[in-house]
Every structure is written in C-alpha cells, then in structure tokens.
Amino acid sequence: MKNQFFAIRMCFFCLIVLNIYVGKAIGQECNFKLSGIIYDGTNQQVLSGATVWLMDSDKIAVTNKSGVYRFNKLCSGTYRIKITHVGCVPIEANVVVNSDLQNQNFSLLHSAEQLGEVVVSSRYDRDVNSIKSSLTAEEMQKQRGGTLGEMLKQLAGVSVLQTGSTVFKPVIHGLHSQRVLILNNGVRQEGQQWGAEHAPEIDPLVASRLTVIKGAGALRYGSDAIGGAVLVEPRSLDIDTGLRVEFNSIYSSNNRMGLFNSIVEQGIKSRKSAWAWRSHLTYKRGGNARTPDYWLHNTGVQELNYSFHAGYQREKTKAEVFFSAFNTKIGIFWGAHIGNLTDLENAINSKTPLFNINEFDYQIGRPSQDVSHYLIKAKLTQELSKDRRINFLLSHQENFRKEFDRSLIDNNPELDLNLGTTTADVNFETDRFANTNQQFGFTVQRQANVWSGSRFFLPNYTNILLGLYAIRKWDKKDLQFEAGVRYDYRSLEVFRNQNGQNSQIGREFNNLSSSFAINYVPNNNLSWLNNFSLAWRPPHVNELYVNGLHHGTASFEIGDPNLKSEISLKYTSQFNYQWNKDTKIDLTLYTNYIQNFINLVPVLPATLTLRGAFPTFQFKQADALLSGSDLTFNTALNSSWAYRFKASVLLPRNLESGTWLQQMPAPQIDQEVSWYFSPNKKSSYVSTNALWVAKQRFIPNNFIDYLSPPSDYLLFNLNFGTELRFMKTPVSLGASVFNLFNVRYRDYMNRFRYFSDEVGTNVVLRLKINL
C-alpha cells in the first residue's frame, strides 16, 4: 500500500508542475499558417513525399500528391526549415513568420552530393512510427568525455547499470545487456555484452546523434530488442565539407582525466562522381576516482580509439567502408575483492571500504580488464529505379576481452575471451505505390567465442543466426501505419570440458516476431503513437552454463541449463503535444509482459573460493510485467530562460510470486533551468539541474540481498557553454560541475554499492576548435 501511495504522490507532483506551465502556454495565441509547394529543380515537376521539417520545433509535414506542404498554428518568429527527398540534395533555409504565408515554394536538385545513409523515402528518415527519444547537440555537449551510458541516461526512461565508477551500460525500461541492441553506424554491435560490467565498446565522440528506440522499433535488426535499441549515428559524409579539422580537449578533476580527440574530414566532387572521407582519434587517461571522503584504489581508465570512414558515389551507385577500433584498460576497485567470509560481511556493513589504499594514482593494477573491439563494414547501395533500391552490407567484428584477478599467479589473464562475428545483410526497399514504403530483407550471422585462461567461466560456442523480415508503412489521412514481421532461427553449439570429458551440446531456437504501430497526427501540434510488439530472446550461453567467479563484478554467478526463451508482448503509447514553438510535452506509457523473464538475483550464502569470498548471484526465471511511464516537458519562460522537467517510474512485477522484481531502477525526477545569454540559444548558456533518485521501495516481500537498497539522493549540477571566434577560428568552451555539493550517496543499480560510495564533485572543462 505504501508503494502505491508513493507512486500516486509522484504522479500528483508531475501534474502540479505541468499545470503551472500549461496555463502560460495555452494563453499564447499562435494561429499563423505556412504552406507552399516543393518542386523538382531539374524538371520543375512537383515532388510528393518530400519531408519539410521545422528544426527548432520538431514539427514535420510531408508533401501530398500535388507537392504541397502545410503547417498550422505557428507562432510568430524565425524558423529554420529543412527539406529532404530521396535522391535530392537536402536544403535548409530561414523563414520569418509574422503573418500567414501561403506561397513559400522550394526546389530540390538531384545530385550525388550526399554520401550518407540511403533510404527510399525521406518521409521515413525520422522513424515516425517508433517510440523514441534523442539527445540534442546541447545535451551531448554537456556529457562529452563520459561514456555512452553516461550520455544516454539524460533521456527519460533510460538509466544505467554501473560497476564501480568507470563502467556504465544503458538500461531501457528496466532491461539491459542482450535485450538492448546497439547499432554502431548501422551495424549491430556484438561483444561480450552479457556481463554487468561489460560496457558498450563504442566511443561516443564519433556520434553526432544518439537515439533510443523504446520498444521493438528495430525489428529489422533483430528479434531480441525486448528493451529497445540505441542508434549511434555519425554525421553523414558530405563532399561540400572541403578539408575540415576539429580538435576536442576535455579535463575531469575527480579522477584527473585528460582526453584528446581529433576529427579530420574532406569531400571531393567532380562532374560525374563524388567521394569523401573522415578519420577520428581519441585518447584518454584517468586515475583513481574519489568519493566525498576517500579515493577508490585501482579505478583508473585508459583508452585509445580510432576510426576511418570513406564513401564514393557515381550515378545510381553508392559505396562506403568503415573501420573502427576501441581499446580500453579498466581498473576494478581493489576493495571489492575480499579474502574470507567474515571480512566480506564486515566490508559490506562498513560505511567506508575496509580494504582500500586512500591515495591518488594513475597506475592500473590487478584486478583489471583489457578490452579491444574492432569493426569493419562495407556497404553498397544500388538504385534499381527512381523508387526502388537494394542495399548490401557486410561486416566483421572481433572482440578481445582479458580479465585479471587480484591474486597474481602469473602474468597471463585468468579469463581470455575472443568473440568473432560476421554478418551479411541484404535489404530491398521500394515506395513504388503512393503513400507506402516496403522493406524486405534477410540477415545471416555467424559467431564463434573462444575461451582460454587459467580460470573457466564461459564455454566455447558457435552461434548461427538466420533472420527474414518484411516491413510495410502506409498513410491514410491523419493516420500513419507500420506493420512488420520477422522470423529468426538460431543454432547454438556449446563445447564443454567437465571432469576431463569433452562434450558438445547443440540447441536450436526459432520463433516469429512482429510489430504494429498506429500514429494519429491530426495537426502539426499533436501526435499520438501506439505500438504493439511481439519479440523473443533465447537464453545466452552465460545464463545457461556459467558457474564460477565473475571477477569484474566481484561476484560468483550460477547459470541454469534448463532456461527457456523469453517472449515479450509489449504495448507502448506516446503522446506528444506542442502548444507553441517553445512548449512541448512528451508522455510515454508502457506495459511489457515477459514470459520466462530471466533475472540475475542475489542468493545466500556468499561463496568462498580459493581467490576469496564473493556475493553469489543466480539466474532465475519467472513471468514478469514491467509497466511504467516517462514524462518530458520543455518550455521557454521568456526569450532568455527555459525550463525542462523529466520523470520516470517503473513498476516491475514478478507475476509468479506476486511481488516485485529485484535489480530494477528506482523512480527519478530531473529538473533543469537554463539561461541563454546569446541570441544563438544553442551555443551560449548557463544551466543548473537537480536530479532526485528515490530509494528503491519496489522490492520483493521476502527480500534477499547482501545490503538493503540505499536511501534516496538529490544531486545538483551546473553547466556552462559558449561559442566565440579567436582570430577567425570558431572555438567552443564548456564547463560542468557534477555533484556540486559533494553529496555522499550510493545507487541501487551499482553492483559495487556493497563496498563504496559514488564519486564526489567532478569539474569538467571542455575546449573545441574547428579549423
């Protein structure tokens, strides 16, 4: 009953905040109209299906059969407008609206001047039928220097699963790891993502846009996106760039981390062809992190990442290659590895780590992880006709993970894993019929994981995947529809050595996935999107066969070879309303029924091994219902001040026991006030935000854990950013102060909360130079 009252109080709080600002927004009169015709600049025929986007307001219109676009209920002001259409060069322009404008016409030219992602219809570029949210350039800039997980947790409904102070992996609506697909430049990221401390091996500095799809909106990429998908999207290669050089330098005070990043790109064009390239390099090094009261020994990090991207286009053919390398060495907190059961109990119950060296050091010793990830991708797009094209994509990934225990037996890693993944994808797209778009394709993938080292944890295995899918999108007046179906077959071969006897275990999984979306768009201010999805995920090898020490999380894990596939039936509804240019609300409601939900939960007692004593976790399966809501509200108080409100609540039910699920994120509220001291609101600002995370009260009645959920906490952060010119060179300056008041706290989603507090105040300085 207390939990229900708590949720009700949160809802009332959200409604009160909304009511304060809704009255202001509704009171403004915004009745201007903007319309016009989009023409083909080559033959002056009208273009149907062109996308017209008011970039500052996120309003989108699509031209009809007569090439006409139309916006209603616009406020006075200057709008930045972007127009795109398949096979044409996108254009941007400023439109001043202070009265009804009915003849704002534009022409698009067909050209080979853009080497970016090719789609059949720009109408669908923005995934209008996906429940999603994206980080703005300003939000990404505030977290530059952090990991991918740290950047994504700014979005409502996205939290992180932490291991200490350096490892963050995204959690979408309570789900993570194999249930969340990460697409790195259009390629499904494949690594050892099953581990709680195995963060995505992606450098977020390569991305110009980060998008989270909440639900099974990524049906094309796999059936196991039960939690959703993360799209890491770099800028498209552009031949008009010329030679461009960008430098980024970042310093963090808490762990004295320095980061250097450079991006060099160039585009070249001729009369019949065009090509472009881009290179990227990042190096960072940080030492021990510090809580408000003490240093965390052996928590340093070191990274070296680089990539190269090139593209070529001639007439109706486009080709591109992409290579990236991610290399990191991460220290694992020394005080999480305990020698015996008595010391383990004392360490967990102590307010400060019992086994720690309270001093700063850049040195990374044992225990530690050494991880490398390499990706190479080749893509070919061939236009078969004006409204049909086929895409071929071939990629290969190599993931190397070495894990070193605290105890030094020899210099070799105790766990050495090598995962190789080769994927081929063929996709056919057409918009031959009016107001429709169809996609058909298939994916073939082969994985092989090889284990070596002095300690067994994960067996060798091979995994074969065959996927077939079909997706159709169509419009009817104010409604947009999308329907998709996918069939996946997986063959898993596991090779084990038990008591000197080699064995081979083969398992096969296959199932259908589907999704159906209805988007109701009665005008440019309102959209109501409903998504129904059926997805499934077979159990991973670690969930089936793991039985040993997982040193990265300082825990002993036990699998279950009898686990069944998870089957998810999810309904998501997103209500998006924009009162005027500066006031917008986004409310997402969801409920996700998961049959045979697999959860890693604490069990007693702890396990004593030759390498020490560790908390024990076991994979268990039960039917579950994950329901919740995400709310985002933005408004401009006046021309200089803006306010943002975000809130997320998740109710995770175990349907078999009739109680709550463990290891789920707690409710949270994030509020931010920004002051823009320059006409360019995107570049010059000072903001402060307050993040409140509740104590996790949604826990089982028969709660079993080594430590009760920590108390709620409130953090304040400051951010500053501006742009200026130094000798005609654009320079961006930024500064952030995280945990401004040096609050002492622990987070329920951090696996090391048993042993230490979270980090204290951290001042981050940023410098960006464009040459």
Coordinates of all heavy atoms in Angstrom, one line a residue, residues 344-404:
L344 N 34.3 -10.3 4.3 CA 33.3 -9.8 3.3 C 32.1 -9.2 4.0 O 31.6 -8.2 3.6 CB 32.8 -11.0 2.4 CG 31.7 -10.7 1.5 CD1 32.1 -9.7 0.4 CD2 31.3 -12.0 0.8
E345 N 31.6 -9.9 5.1 CA 30.4 -9.4 5.8 C 30.7 -8.0 6.4 O 29.9 -7.1 6.4 CB 30.0 -10.4 6.9 CG 28.8 -10.0 7.7 CD 28.4 -11.0 8.7 OE1 29.0 -12.1 8.7 OE2 27.4 -10.7 9.4
N346 N 31.9 -7.9 7.0 CA 32.3 -6.6 7.6 C 32.5 -5.5 6.6 O 32.1 -4.4 6.8 CB 33.6 -6.8 8.4 CG 33.5 -7.7 9.6 OD1 32.4 -7.8 10.2 ND2 34.6 -8.4 10.0
A347 N 33.0 -5.9 5.4 CA 33.2 -4.9 4.4 C 31.9 -4.4 3.9 O 31.7 -3.1 3.6 CB 34.0 -5.4 3.2
I348 N 30.9 -5.3 3.7 CA 29.6 -4.8 3.2 C 28.9 -4.0 4.2 O 28.2 -3.0 3.8 CB 28.7 -6.1 2.9 CG1 29.3 -6.8 1.6 CG2 27.3 -5.7 2.6 CD1 28.6 -8.1 1.3
N349 N 29.0 -4.2 5.5 CA 28.3 -3.5 6.5 C 29.1 -2.2 6.9 O 28.5 -1.5 7.7 CB 28.1 -4.4 7.7 CG 27.1 -5.5 7.4 OD1 26.1 -5.3 6.7 ND2 27.3 -6.7 7.9
S350 N 30.2 -2.0 6.4 CA 31.0 -0.8 6.8 C 30.6 0.4 5.9 O 30.3 0.2 4.7 CB 32.5 -1.1 6.6 OG 33.3 0.0 6.9
K351 N 30.7 1.6 6.5 CA 30.3 2.8 5.8 C 31.5 3.2 4.9 O 31.3 4.0 3.9 CB 30.0 3.9 6.7 CG 28.7 3.7 7.5 CD 28.3 4.9 8.3 CE 27.0 4.6 9.1 NZ 26.6 5.8 9.9
T352 N 32.7 2.7 5.1 CA 33.8 3.0 4.3 C 34.5 1.7 3.9 O 34.4 0.7 4.7 CB 34.8 3.9 5.0 OG1 35.3 3.3 6.2 CG2 34.2 5.3 5.3
P353 N 35.2 1.6 2.8 CA 35.9 0.4 2.4 C 36.9 -0.1 3.5 O 37.7 0.7 3.9 CB 36.5 0.7 1.1 CG 35.8 1.9 0.6 CD 35.4 2.7 1.8
L354 N 36.9 -1.4 3.8 CA 37.8 -1.9 4.8 C 39.2 -2.2 4.1 O 40.2 -2.1 4.7 CB 37.3 -3.2 5.4 CG 36.1 -3.0 6.3 CD1 35.7 -4.4 7.0 CD2 36.3 -2.0 7.4
F355 N 39.1 -2.5 2.8 CA 40.4 -2.8 2.1 C 40.5 -1.8 1.0 O 40.0 -2.0 -0.1 CB 40.3 -4.3 1.6 CG 40.0 -5.3 2.7 CD1 38.7 -5.7 2.9 CD2 41.0 -5.8 3.5 CE1 38.4 -6.6 3.9 CE2 40.7 -6.7 4.5 CZ 39.4 -7.1 4.7
N356 N 41.3 -0.8 1.3 CA 41.5 0.3 0.3 C 42.8 1.0 0.6 O 43.3 1.0 1.7 CB 40.3 1.2 0.4 CG 40.3 2.3 -0.7 OD1 40.8 2.0 -1.8 ND2 39.7 3.5 -0.4
I357 N 43.4 1.6 -0.4 CA 44.5 2.5 -0.3 C 44.0 3.9 -0.6 O 43.7 4.2 -1.8 CB 45.7 2.0 -1.2 CG1 46.1 0.6 -0.9 CG2 46.8 3.0 -1.1 CD1 47.2 0.1 -1.8
N358 N 44.0 4.7 0.4 CA 43.3 6.1 0.2 C 44.4 7.1 -0.3 O 44.8 7.9 0.4 CB 42.8 6.5 1.6 CG 42.0 7.8 1.4 OD1 41.6 8.2 0.3 ND2 41.7 8.4 2.6
E359 N 44.7 6.9 -1.6 CA 45.6 7.9 -2.3 C 45.3 7.9 -3.8 O 44.8 6.9 -4.3 CB 47.0 7.5 -2.0 CG 47.5 6.2 -2.5 CD 48.9 5.9 -2.1 OE1 49.4 6.3 -1.1 OE2 49.6 5.1 -2.9
F360 N 45.7 8.9 -4.4 CA 45.5 9.0 -5.9 C 46.7 8.3 -6.6 O 47.9 8.4 -6.2 CB 45.4 10.5 -6.4 CG 45.3 10.6 -7.8 CD1 44.1 10.4 -8.5 CD2 46.4 10.9 -8.6 CE1 44.0 10.5 -9.8 CE2 46.3 10.9 -10.0 CZ 45.1 10.8 -10.6
D361 N 46.3 7.7 -7.7 CA 47.4 7.0 -8.5 C 46.8 6.8 -9.9 O 45.6 6.5 -10.1 CB 47.8 5.7 -7.9 CG 49.1 5.2 -8.5 OD1 49.5 5.6 -9.6 OD2 49.7 4.3 -7.9
Y362 N 47.6 7.0 -11.0 CA 47.2 6.6 -12.3 C 47.5 5.2 -12.6 O 46.9 4.7 -13.6 CB 48.0 7.5 -13.3 CG 47.5 8.9 -13.5 CD1 48.2 10.0 -13.0 CD2 46.3 9.1 -14.3 CE1 47.7 11.3 -13.2 CE2 45.9 10.4 -14.5 CZ 46.6 11.5 -13.9 OH 46.1 12.7 -14.1
Q363 N 48.2 4.5 -11.8 CA 48.6 3.1 -12.1 C 47.3 2.2 -12.1 O 46.5 2.3 -11.1 CB 49.6 2.6 -11.0 CG 50.1 1.2 -11.3 CD 51.0 1.1 -12.6 OE1 51.6 2.1 -12.9 NE2 51.0 0.0 -13.2
I364 N 47.2 1.3 -13.0 CA 46.1 0.3 -13.1 C 46.8 -1.1 -12.8 O 47.6 -1.6 -13.6 CB 45.4 0.3 -14.4 CG1 44.8 1.7 -14.7 CG2 44.4 -0.8 -14.5 CD1 44.1 1.8 -16.1
G365 N 46.4 -1.6 -11.7 CA 47.0 -2.9 -11.3 C 45.9 -4.0 -11.3 O 44.8 -3.8 -11.9
R366 N 46.1 -5.1 -10.7 CA 45.1 -6.1 -10.6 C 44.1 -5.8 -9.4 O 44.6 -5.2 -8.4 CB 45.7 -7.5 -10.3 CG 46.5 -8.1 -11.5 CD 47.3 -9.3 -11.0 NE 47.9 -10.0 -12.2 CZ 47.3 -11.0 -12.8 NH1 46.2 -11.5 -12.3 NH2 47.9 -11.6 -13.8
P367 N 42.8 -6.1 -9.6 CA 42.1 -6.7 -10.7 C 41.9 -5.6 -11.8 O 41.7 -4.5 -11.5 CB 40.8 -7.2 -10.1 CG 40.6 -6.3 -9.0 CD 41.9 -6.0 -8.4
S368 N 41.8 -6.1 -13.1 CA 41.6 -5.2 -14.2 C 41.0 -5.9 -15.4 O 40.9 -7.1 -15.4 CB 42.9 -4.5 -14.6 OG 43.8 -5.5 -15.1
Q369 N 40.7 -5.1 -16.4 CA 40.2 -5.6 -17.7 C 40.9 -4.9 -18.8 O 41.2 -3.7 -18.7 CB 38.7 -5.4 -17.8 CG 37.8 -6.0 -16.8 CD 36.3 -5.7 -17.0 OE1 36.0 -4.9 -17.9 NE2 35.5 -6.3 -16.2
D370 N 41.2 -5.7 -19.8 CA 41.8 -5.2 -21.0 C 40.9 -5.6 -22.2 O 40.8 -6.8 -22.5 CB 43.2 -5.8 -21.2 CG 44.1 -5.0 -22.1 OD1 43.5 -4.3 -23.0 OD2 45.3 -5.0 -22.0
V371 N 40.3 -4.6 -22.8 CA 39.3 -4.9 -23.8 C 39.6 -4.2 -25.2 O 40.0 -3.0 -25.2 CB 37.9 -4.5 -23.4 CG1 36.8 -4.9 -24.4 CG2 37.6 -5.1 -22.0
S372 N 39.5 -4.9 -26.3 CA 39.6 -4.4 -27.6 C 38.5 -4.8 -28.5 O 38.0 -6.0 -28.4 CB 41.0 -4.8 -28.2 OG 42.1 -4.3 -27.5
H373 N 38.0 -3.9 -29.3 CA 36.9 -4.2 -30.2 C 37.2 -3.6 -31.6 O 37.5 -2.4 -31.7 CB 35.6 -3.7 -29.7 CG 34.4 -4.2 -30.5 ND1 33.7 -5.3 -30.2 CD2 33.8 -3.7 -31.6 CE1 32.7 -5.5 -31.1 NE2 32.8 -4.5 -32.0
Y374 N 37.1 -4.4 -32.6 CA 37.4 -3.9 -34.0 C 36.2 -4.2 -34.9 O 35.6 -5.3 -34.8 CB 38.7 -4.6 -34.5 CG 39.9 -4.4 -33.7 CD1 40.3 -5.3 -32.7 CD2 40.7 -3.3 -33.9 CE1 41.4 -5.1 -32.0 CE2 41.8 -3.1 -33.1 CZ 42.2 -4.0 -32.1 OH 43.3 -3.8 -31.4
L375 N 35.9 -3.3 -35.7 CA 34.7 -3.4 -36.6 C 35.1 -2.9 -38.0 O 35.7 -1.8 -38.1 CB 33.5 -2.5 -36.1 CG 32.4 -2.2 -37.1 CD1 31.7 -3.5 -37.5 CD2 31.5 -1.2 -36.5
I376 N 34.8 -3.7 -39.0 CA 35.0 -3.3 -40.4 C 33.6 -3.5 -41.1 O 33.0 -4.6 -40.9 CB 36.1 -4.0 -41.1 CG1 36.3 -3.4 -42.5 CG2 36.0 -5.5 -41.1 CD1 37.6 -3.8 -43.1
K377 N 33.2 -2.5 -41.9 CA 31.9 -2.6 -42.5 C 32.1 -2.1 -44.0 O 32.8 -1.2 -44.3 CB 30.9 -1.7 -41.8 CG 29.8 -1.2 -42.6 CD 29.0 -0.1 -41.9 CE 28.1 0.7 -42.9 NZ 27.4 1.8 -42.2
A378 N 31.4 -2.8 -44.9 CA 31.3 -2.4 -46.3 C 29.9 -2.4 -46.7 O 29.1 -3.3 -46.4 CB 32.1 -3.3 -47.2
K379 N 29.4 -1.3 -47.4 CA 28.0 -1.2 -47.8 C 28.0 -0.7 -49.2 O 28.7 0.2 -49.6 CB 27.3 -0.2 -46.8 CG 25.8 -0.1 -47.2 CD 25.1 0.8 -46.2 CE 23.6 0.9 -46.6 NZ 22.9 1.8 -45.7
L380 N 27.1 -1.3 -49.9 CA 26.8 -1.0 -51.3 C 25.3 -0.7 -51.5 O 24.5 -1.6 -51.1 CB 27.3 -2.1 -52.3 CG 27.0 -1.9 -53.8 CD1 27.8 -0.7 -54.3 CD2 27.3 -3.1 -54.6
T381 N 25.0 0.4 -52.1 CA 23.6 0.7 -52.4 C 23.4 0.9 -53.9 O 24.2 1.7 -54.5 CB 23.1 2.0 -51.7 OG1 23.2 1.7 -50.3 CG2 21.7 2.3 -52.0
Q382 N 22.5 0.2 -54.5 CA 22.3 0.3 -56.0 C 20.8 0.7 -56.2 O 19.9 0.0 -55.8 CB 22.6 -1.0 -56.6 CG 22.4 -1.0 -58.2 CD 23.4 -0.1 -58.9 OE1 24.5 -0.1 -58.6 NE2 22.8 0.8 -59.8
E383 N 20.6 1.9 -56.9 CA 19.3 2.3 -57.3 C 18.9 1.5 -58.5 O 19.5 1.5 -59.5 CB 19.3 3.8 -57.6 CG 19.4 4.6 -56.3 CD 19.1 6.1 -56.6 OE1 18.3 6.4 -57.5 OE2 19.7 7.0 -56.0
L384 N 17.8 0.7 -58.4 CA 17.2 0.0 -59.5 C 16.4 0.8 -60.4 O 16.3 0.6 -61.6 CB 16.5 -1.2 -59.0 CG 17.3 -2.2 -58.0 CD1 16.4 -3.3 -57.5 CD2 18.5 -2.7 -58.7
S385 N 15.7 1.8 -59.7 CA 14.8 2.7 -60.4 C 14.6 3.9 -59.5 O 15.2 3.9 -58.4 CB 13.5 2.1 -60.9 OG 12.8 1.8 -59.7
K386 N 13.8 4.9 -59.9 CA 13.6 6.0 -59.1 C 13.0 5.7 -57.7 O 13.3 6.4 -56.7 CB 12.7 7.0 -59.8 CG 12.5 8.3 -59.1 CD 11.6 9.3 -59.9 CE 11.3 10.6 -59.1 NZ 10.5 11.5 -59.8
D387 N 12.2 4.6 -57.6 CA 11.5 4.3 -56.4 C 11.9 2.9 -55.8 O 11.2 2.4 -55.0 CB 10.0 4.4 -56.6 CG 9.6 3.6 -57.8 OD1 10.3 2.7 -58.3 OD2 8.5 3.9 -58.3
R388 N 13.0 2.4 -56.3 CA 13.4 1.1 -55.8 C 15.0 1.0 -55.7 O 15.7 1.6 -56.5 CB 13.0 -0.1 -56.7 CG 11.5 -0.3 -56.8 CD 11.2 -1.5 -57.7 NE 11.7 -1.2 -59.1 CZ 11.9 -2.2 -60.0 NH1 11.6 -3.5 -59.7 NH2 12.3 -1.9 -61.2
R389 N 15.4 0.4 -54.6 CA 16.9 0.2 -54.4 C 17.1 -1.0 -53.6 O 16.3 -1.5 -52.8 CB 17.5 1.5 -53.8 CG 17.1 1.8 -52.4 CD 17.9 3.0 -51.9 NE 18.2 4.0 -52.8 CZ 17.4 5.0 -53.1 NH1 16.2 5.0 -52.6 NH2 17.8 5.9 -54.0
I390 N 18.4 -1.4 -53.6 CA 18.8 -2.6 -52.8 C 20.1 -2.2 -52.1 O 21.0 -1.6 -52.7 CB 18.9 -3.9 -53.7 CG1 19.1 -5.1 -52.9 CG2 20.1 -3.7 -54.8 CD1 19.0 -6.4 -53.7
N391 N 20.2 -2.7 -50.9 CA 21.4 -2.4 -50.0 C 22.0 -3.7 -49.7 O 21.4 -4.7 -49.2 CB 20.9 -1.7 -48.8 CG 20.2 -0.4 -49.0 OD1 20.8 0.6 -49.5 ND2 18.9 -0.4 -48.8
F392 N 23.3 -3.8 -49.8 CA 24.1 -4.9 -49.4 C 25.1 -4.4 -48.3 O 25.8 -3.4 -48.5 CB 25.0 -5.5 -50.5 CG 24.2 -6.0 -51.7 CD1 23.9 -5.1 -52.8 CD2 23.6 -7.2 -51.8 CE1 23.1 -5.5 -53.9 CE2 22.9 -7.7 -52.8 CZ 22.6 -6.8 -53.9
L393 N 25.1 -5.2 -47.2 CA 26.0 -4.8 -46.1 C 26.7 -6.0 -45.6 O 26.1 -7.0 -45.3 CB 25.2 -4.1 -44.9 CG 26.0 -3.5 -43.8 CD1 25.3 -2.3 -43.2 CD2 26.3 -4.5 -42.7
L394 N 28.0 -5.9 -45.5 CA 28.9 -7.0 -44.9 C 29.7 -6.4 -43.8 O 30.4 -5.4 -44.0 CB 29.7 -7.6 -46.0 CG 30.6 -8.8 -45.6 CD1 29.8 -10.0 -45.2 CD2 31.6 -9.1 -46.8
S395 N 29.8 -7.1 -42.7 CA 30.6 -6.6 -41.6 C 31.2 -7.7 -40.8 O 30.7 -8.8 -40.8 CB 29.7 -5.7 -40.6 OG 28.7 -6.6 -39.9
H396 N 32.3 -7.4 -40.2 CA 33.0 -8.3 -39.3 C 33.5 -7.6 -38.1 O 34.0 -6.5 -38.1 CB 34.2 -9.0 -40.0 CG 34.9 -10.1 -39.1 ND1 34.3 -11.3 -38.9 CD2 36.0 -10.0 -38.4 CE1 35.1 -12.0 -38.1 NE2 36.2 -11.2 -37.8
Q397 N 33.3 -8.3 -36.9 CA 33.8 -7.7 -35.6 C 34.6 -8.7 -34.9 O 34.3 -9.9 -34.9 CB 32.5 -7.3 -34.8 CG 31.6 -6.3 -35.4 CD 30.4 -6.1 -34.6 OE1 30.4 -5.6 -33.5 NE2 29.2 -6.4 -35.2
E398 N 35.6 -8.2 -34.2 CA 36.5 -9.0 -33.3 C 36.5 -8.4 -32.0 O 36.8 -7.2 -31.9 CB 37.9 -9.2 -33.9 CG 38.0 -10.1 -35.1 CD 37.8 -11.6 -34.8 OE1 38.0 -11.9 -33.6 OE2 37.5 -12.3 -35.7
N399 N 36.1 -9.1 -31.0 CA 36.1 -8.6 -29.6 C 37.0 -9.4 -28.7 O 36.9 -10.6 -28.6 CB 34.7 -8.6 -29.0 CG 34.6 -8.0 -27.7 OD1 34.8 -8.6 -26.6 ND2 34.2 -6.7 -27.6
F400 N 38.0 -8.8 -28.1 CA 39.0 -9.4 -27.3 C 38.8 -8.9 -25.8 O 38.9 -7.7 -25.6 CB 40.4 -9.1 -27.7 CG 40.7 -9.6 -29.1 CD1 40.5 -8.7 -30.2 CD2 41.1 -10.9 -29.4 CE1 40.8 -9.2 -31.5 CE2 41.4 -11.3 -30.7 CZ 41.2 -10.5 -31.7
R401 N 38.7 -9.8 -24.9 CA 38.5 -9.4 -23.5 C 39.4 -10.2 -22.6 O 39.3 -11.4 -22.6 CB 37.0 -9.5 -23.1 CG 36.8 -9.4 -21.6 CD 35.3 -9.4 -21.2 NE 34.7 -8.1 -21.7 CZ 34.7 -7.0 -20.9 NH1 35.2 -7.0 -19.7 NH2 34.1 -5.9 -21.4
K402 N 40.3 -9.5 -21.9 CA 41.2 -10.2 -20.9 C 40.8 -9.6 -19.5 O 40.8 -8.4 -19.3 CB 42.6 -9.9 -21.3 CG 43.0 -10.4 -22.7 CD 44.5 -10.1 -22.9 CE 44.9 -10.6 -24.3 NZ 46.3 -10.3 -24.6
E403 N 40.6 -10.6 -18.6 CA 40.3 -10.2 -17.2 C 41.4 -10.8 -16.3 O 41.7 -12.0 -16.4 CB 38.9 -10.7 -16.9 CG 37.8 -10.1 -17.8 CD 36.4 -10.4 -17.4 OE1 36.3 -11.1 -16.3 OE2 35.5 -9.8 -18.0
F404 N 41.8 -9.9 -15.4 CA 42.9 -10.3 -14.5 C 42.4 -10.2 -13.1 O 41.8 -9.2 -12.6 CB 44.1 -9.3 -14.6 CG 44.7 -9.3 -16.0 CD1 44.1 -8.5 -17.0 CD2 45.8 -10.0 -16.3 CE1 44.7 -8.4 -18.3 CE2 46.4 -10.0 -17.5 CZ 45.8 -9.2 -18.5

